[in-house]
Amino acid sequence: MRLMVTKSEIATAFAPCRIAFAGGGTDLPAYAERYGGAVLSAAVSLGARVRVRPLDIRTVSLILDDFEIRADYGDPAEILKDPRAEVALVGRTLAELRPAGGVEMTVRTGLPPGSGLGASGAVGVAVTYALHLFAGRRPAREEVAEAASVIEIEKLGRPIGRQDQYAAAFGGLNYFYFEKDNVRREAVNLSASKRREFERYFMLFFSGRRRDSAEVLTGQRARVAAGDRQTVEALHRMKELAGGMCTAAAEADWPRFGELMHEAWLAKKKVSAKIADEKTVAACARARELGAWAVKVTGAGAGGFYLVMAPPAAQEAVAAYLAGEGFERYDFGFDYDGVRALDEKG
């Protein structure tokens, strides 16, 4: 597909990252195509910002702020020859959509690599949407999510599912159901006051440790394909808990939501021994002793960000403990808008 430029204005897009409360991993094709996967997730205010501007010369200039990379290419196809892994996703998207004329693209998330927040999915969605905006189009959210998924999963061969791309495209609190050729979304609609109430129970901390999600997910994929009983049953349980958490959220039963989130984390640890090391287990246990309802590692696990759900009265003690252990707290909120265009001041 080639996007013909119909205007010469700067195009800027933002796509949110996500936090999966339960069901993450059931969206991988190895599981979803056989059993059907289900994920309850929320988009967050942290995310990917992409800026595309026209150049007077037929050059593609790529600026990846998170990796301090700046490179120029004669045309989008040349990017595919760049061996750097950090360039692969953006480069492949540019090569697939092939914007006409010269362009400069700047990509930034401000997040550490391997965060576990689905940042690569957000980047793929934001780049795809920005290139369409640059060509004068405003594609449907599902179109963007699917296009970004195809590039990352099928073209690049990454061992992931579609939850990150769909969460980034739609925003909000959603229950996604994944089948072989279909993704269904059920929005969990909360009133403005309930949204604020829900949000104040959560804290987000970066552990300081990067993790290789590909290693964890590749192992999971192989075990599911082999019919490993413990792995498959753990994923079944995570999927079941995602449904229960939907009900708890709709009823604004936050203690119940926290209880199920903790159960989902216990199930997730059974999927792979690499998801939680001794330090992770100890940190989660101590935070719960201090009053947290649930603590989980986001994404595939093995480092990255920790999500804490705790009543407000317990948050100061939990935050102080994690800070003392070297965790860095990140301010965030939930994002209900999904991928969108920004003006130059956005």
Side-chain angles (χ1 to χ4, degrees), residues 114 126 133 143 170 183 218 236 248 262 312 331:
L133 291 174
E143 178 187 349
F170 284 94
V183 178
T218 298
H236 286 344
H262 176 62
D331 291 330

Side-chain angles (χ1 to χ4, degrees), residues 228-267:
D228 179 74
R229 181 175 178 179
Q230 177 175 305
T231 301
V232 172
E233 288 184 353
L235 292 168
H236 286 344
R237 179 59 176 155
M238 290 162 59
K239 180 171 64 174
E240 178 186 8
L241 289 165
M245 292 175 77
C246 280
T247 301
E251 296 174 352
D253 188 346
W254 309 131
R256 177 61 175 162
F257 190 97
E259 177 186 351
L260 295 176
M261 180 175 152
H262 176 62
E263 288 187 34
W265 168 240
L266 296 179

Side-chain angles (χ1 to χ4, degrees), residues 185-264:
R185 180 181 75 99
E186 296 178 14
V188 181
N189 295 313
L190 303 176
S191 67
S193 62
K194 291 302 181 185
R195 287 180 181 181
R196 291 191 295 270
E197 188 177 296
F198 183 52
E199 188 171 308
R200 71 191 181 101
Y201 287 103
F202 292 96
M203 298 184 290
L204 188 65
F205 297 86
F206 181 57
S207 66
R209 293 180 293 160
R210 275 68 170 176
R211 88 287 185 268
D212 182 5
S213 63
E215 181 180 0
V216 175
L217 295 175
T218 298
Q220 176 188 315
R221 180 175 63 183
R223 289 190 299 278
V224 170
D228 179 74
R229 181 175 178 179
Q230 177 175 305
T231 301
V232 172
E233 288 184 353
L235 292 168
H236 286 344
R237 179 59 176 155
M238 290 162 59
K239 180 171 64 174
E240 178 186 8
L241 289 165
M245 292 175 77
C246 280
T247 301
E251 296 174 352
D253 188 346
W254 309 131
R256 177 61 175 162
F257 190 97
E259 177 186 351
L260 295 176
M261 180 175 152
H262 176 62
E263 288 187 34

Side-chain angles (χ1 to χ4, degrees), residues 303-320:
F305 278 85
Y306 287 45
L307 178 68
V308 177
M309 186 179 191
Q315 290 184 7
E316 184 177 352
V318 173

Side-chain angles (χ1 to χ4, degrees), residues 94-332:
L94 276 163
E96 291 289 326
L97 297 181
R98 293 182 296 163
V103 297
E104 177 189 82
M105 174 177 285
T106 303
V107 182
R108 183 178 189 276
T109 68
L111 293 169
S115 65
L117 298 178
S120 67
V123 167
V125 167
V127 168
T128 301
Y129 197 72
L131 288 171
H132 280 278
L133 291 174
F134 188 69
R137 294 188 67 237
R138 286 185 180 264
R141 296 179 187 277
E142 186 171 7
E143 178 187 349
V144 176
E146 194 58 27
S149 297
V150 167
I151 288 173
E152 197 163 3
I153 298 170
E154 298 180 13
K155 302 292 185 179
L156 295 178
R158 294 182 175 176
I160 61 171
R162 284 170 158 75
Q163 64 149 321
D164 298 348
Q165 294 81 5
Y166 275 81
F170 284 94
L173 177 62
N174 296 291
Y175 178 83
F176 290 106
Y177 193 82
F178 300 92
E179 299 171 307
K180 182 175 182 180
D181 298 312
N182 185 45
V183 178
R184 290 188 280 117
R185 180 181 75 99
E186 296 178 14
V188 181
N189 295 313
L190 303 176
S191 67
S193 62
K194 291 302 181 185
R195 287 180 181 181
R196 291 191 295 270
E197 188 177 296
F198 183 52
E199 188 171 308
R200 71 191 181 101
Y201 287 103
F202 292 96
M203 298 184 290
L204 188 65
F205 297 86
F206 181 57
S207 66
R209 293 180 293 160
R210 275 68 170 176
R211 88 287 185 268
D212 182 5
S213 63
E215 181 180 0
V216 175
L217 295 175
T218 298
Q220 176 188 315
R221 180 175 63 183
R223 289 190 299 278
V224 170
D228 179 74
R229 181 175 178 179
Q230 177 175 305
T231 301
V232 172
E233 288 184 353
L235 292 168
H236 286 344
R237 179 59 176 155
M238 290 162 59
K239 180 171 64 174
E240 178 186 8
L241 289 165
M245 292 175 77
C246 280
T247 301
E251 296 174 352
D253 188 346
W254 309 131
R256 177 61 175 162
F257 190 97
E259 177 186 351
L260 295 176
M261 180 175 152
H262 176 62
E263 288 187 34
W265 168 240
L266 296 179
K268 185 179 182 70
K269 289 193 294 181
K270 294 179 180 179
V271 172
S272 171
K274 296 180 179 180
I275 286 175
D277 58 16
E278 290 183 5
K279 181 177 180 179
T280 298
V281 171
C284 292
R286 181 56 181 155
R288 278 177 49 80
E289 289 174 359
L290 292 170
W293 289 334
V295 186
K296 63 162 292 183
V297 179
T298 62
F305 278 85
Y306 287 45
L307 178 68
V308 177
M309 186 179 191
Q315 290 184 7
E316 184 177 352
V318 173
Y321 162 70
L322 290 173
E325 293 295 309
F327 290 74
E328 179 185 359
R329 185 170 180 177
Y330 272 62
D331 291 330
F332 82 104

